[in-house]
C-alpha cells in the first residue's frame, strides 16, 4: 500500500530502537533548540508581554499550519505499515481535524486579524509548510517525522520552561502554554522520538540533523512573521 514502506530498524544494531537516536539528535541540536526557544515571540509569550494583536496573528498562522499538520499525519498513517504506529497517526489526524480545529476557530473569534492583510501574513508564515514539504520530498516518512519531532520538541522545551515561571499572562496565552506540557502532549513527543529511533540505517545522522535544524530555523521565521504588522 505505501509507496515506500518503513523498514523498522533491527534492535540488535546501534541504530535500532532503544539506542536513543532521537535523544542523540536532540543533544546534537541543543544549541539550535535553545536559540529557537529564545525567539522574541516565544519569549514574550513566556514572560507575559505579548500584545493581543501579535497573539492574534500567531493564532492565525498556527491555525493554518494545523491544517498542514493534519495532512502530514494522514500521509504518515498511509506510509506506516506497523499497525500500532499507524493507529497513533490516525489519532493525530482525528485530534487535528476535530478538537484542535475547533479550538482555533473559537479562540480566533476573540482575537480577529485584519482580513485584508491575512494573505500576506500567511504567505510570510508559509516557510514552515515549505520546509516540511521539502523534507517530505527528500526523505518521505523519515523526513516528515524528523521535522515534526523538531517542532514538537521545541514546543515542549519552551512551554515547560515557561510553565515553571510564575508571571502574569493573559488567560489564552497561559492556556496555550499549558496545552503543551500535558501528559498527552508529552506522549506525542515521545512517540515521535520513538519513530526517529526506529528509522532504518540508511537514514543517516547527517540527514536527521539537516531536517531537524531546518525545521527549527523555519520555526524561527514562522514565529517572527507574527510580530510584523499586517498590511494589505
Amino acid at each position: 500500500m505505501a509507496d515506500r514502506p518503513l523498514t523498522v530498524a533491527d534492535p540488535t544494531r546501534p541504530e535500532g530502537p532503544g539506542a536513543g537516536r532521537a535523544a542523540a539528535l536532540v543533544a546534537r541540536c541543543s544549541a539550535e533548540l535553545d536559540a529557537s526557544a529564545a525567539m522574541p515571540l516565544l519569549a514574550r509569550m513566556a514572560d507575559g508581554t505579548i500584545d493581543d494583536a501579535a497573539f492574534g496573528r500567531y493564532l492565525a498562522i498556527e491555525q493554518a499550519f494545523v491544517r498542514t499538520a493534519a495532512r502530514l499525519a494522514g500521509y504518515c498513517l498511509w506510509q506506516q505499515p506497523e499497525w500500532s504506529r499507524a493507529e497513533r497517526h490516525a489519532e493525530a489526524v482525528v485530534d487535528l481535524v476535530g478538537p484542535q480545529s475547533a479550538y482555533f476557530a473559537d479562540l480566533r473569534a476573540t482575537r480577529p486579524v485584519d482580513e485584508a492583510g491575512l494573505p500576506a501574513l500567511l504567505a510570510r508564515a508559509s516557510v514552515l509548510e515549505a520546509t516540511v514539504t521539502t523534507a517530505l520530498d527528500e526523505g518521505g516518512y523519515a523526513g516528515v517525522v524528523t521535522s515534526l519531532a523538531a517542532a514538537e520538541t521545541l514546543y515542549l522545551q519552551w512551554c515547560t520552561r515557561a510553565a515553571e515561571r510564575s508571571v502574569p499572562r493573559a488567560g489564552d496565552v497561559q492556556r496555550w502554554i499549558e496545552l503543551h506540557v500535558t501528559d498527552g502532549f508529552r506522549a506525542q513527543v515521545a512517540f515521535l522520538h520513538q519513530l526517529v529511533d526506529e528509522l532504518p540505517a540508511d537514514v543517516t545522522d547527517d540527514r536527521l540533523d539537516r531536517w531537524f535544524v531546518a525545521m527549527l530555523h523555519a520555526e524561527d521565521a514562522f514565529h517572527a512573521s507574527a510580530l510584523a504588522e499586517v498590511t494589505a
Side-chain angles (χ1 to χ4, degrees), residues 44-46 48 50 55 111 169-178:
R44 294 178 194 179
M45 291 174 69
I50 189 169
F55 190 56
R111 296 172 186 265
R169 301 185 184 99
D172 291 342
V173 176
Q174 179 66 25
R175 175 60 178 154
W176 179 253
I177 290 170
E178 291 173 350

Side-chain angles (χ1 to χ4, degrees), residues 150-221:
E152 302 292 55
T153 300
L154 168 62
Y155 268 69
L156 179 59
Q157 177 173 302
W158 84 263
C159 287
T160 297
R161 294 174 179 175
E164 292 170 349
R165 299 174 59 185
S166 180
V167 297
R169 301 185 184 99
D172 291 342
V173 176
Q174 179 66 25
R175 175 60 178 154
W176 179 253
I177 290 170
E178 291 173 350
L179 283 172
H180 294 91
V181 295
T182 63
D183 289 344
F185 186 74
R186 292 180 187 279
Q188 174 63 13
V189 176
F191 173 59
L192 289 168
H193 286 195
Q194 177 185 27
L195 295 177
V196 172
D197 283 347
E198 294 175 349
L199 292 175
D202 65 347
V203 181
T204 65
D205 287 348
D206 285 346
R207 296 177 78 192
L208 295 181
D209 291 357
R210 178 159 49 82
W211 292 326
F212 197 96
V213 172
M215 193 65 172
L216 293 179
H217 289 168
E219 288 279 7
D220 296 345

Side-chain angles (χ1 to χ4, degrees), residues 48-219:
T49 60
I50 189 169
D51 62 81
D52 285 350
F55 190 56
R57 292 192 293 271
Y58 173 64
L59 292 173
I61 62 177
E62 276 288 353
Q63 181 185 48
F65 189 71
V66 160
R67 295 169 181 173
T68 295
R71 294 182 174 95
L72 292 170
Y75 167 83
C76 290
L77 166 61
W78 178 257
Q79 289 288 308
Q80 175 55 263
E82 206 290 309
W83 186 244
S84 67
R85 310 289 192 270
E87 286 182 320
R88 291 293 300 273
H89 290 309
E91 290 168 3
V93 174
V94 171
D95 182 59
L96 288 161
V97 303
Q100 287 205 40
S101 291
Y103 169 85
F104 279 103
D106 291 344
L107 193 55
R108 281 205 61 208
T110 70
R111 296 172 186 265
V113 174
D114 178 17
E115 290 296 322
L118 187 57
L121 171 63
L122 295 177
R124 290 199 304 270
S126 66
V127 59
L128 200 57
E129 178 178 355
T131 299
V132 73
T133 300
T134 296
L136 187 157
D137 291 341
E138 292 177 354
Y141 184 91
V144 172
V145 298
T146 304
S147 299
L148 294 178
E152 302 292 55
T153 300
L154 168 62
Y155 268 69
L156 179 59
Q157 177 173 302
W158 84 263
C159 287
T160 297
R161 294 174 179 175
E164 292 170 349
R165 299 174 59 185
S166 180
V167 297
R169 301 185 184 99
D172 291 342
V173 176
Q174 179 66 25
R175 175 60 178 154
W176 179 253
I177 290 170
E178 291 173 350
L179 283 172
H180 294 91
V181 295
T182 63
D183 289 344
F185 186 74
R186 292 180 187 279
Q188 174 63 13
V189 176
F191 173 59
L192 289 168
H193 286 195
Q194 177 185 27
L195 295 177
V196 172
D197 283 347
E198 294 175 349
L199 292 175
D202 65 347
V203 181
T204 65
D205 287 348
D206 285 346
R207 296 177 78 192
L208 295 181
D209 291 357
R210 178 159 49 82
W211 292 326
F212 197 96
V213 172
M215 193 65 172
L216 293 179
H217 289 168
E219 288 279 7

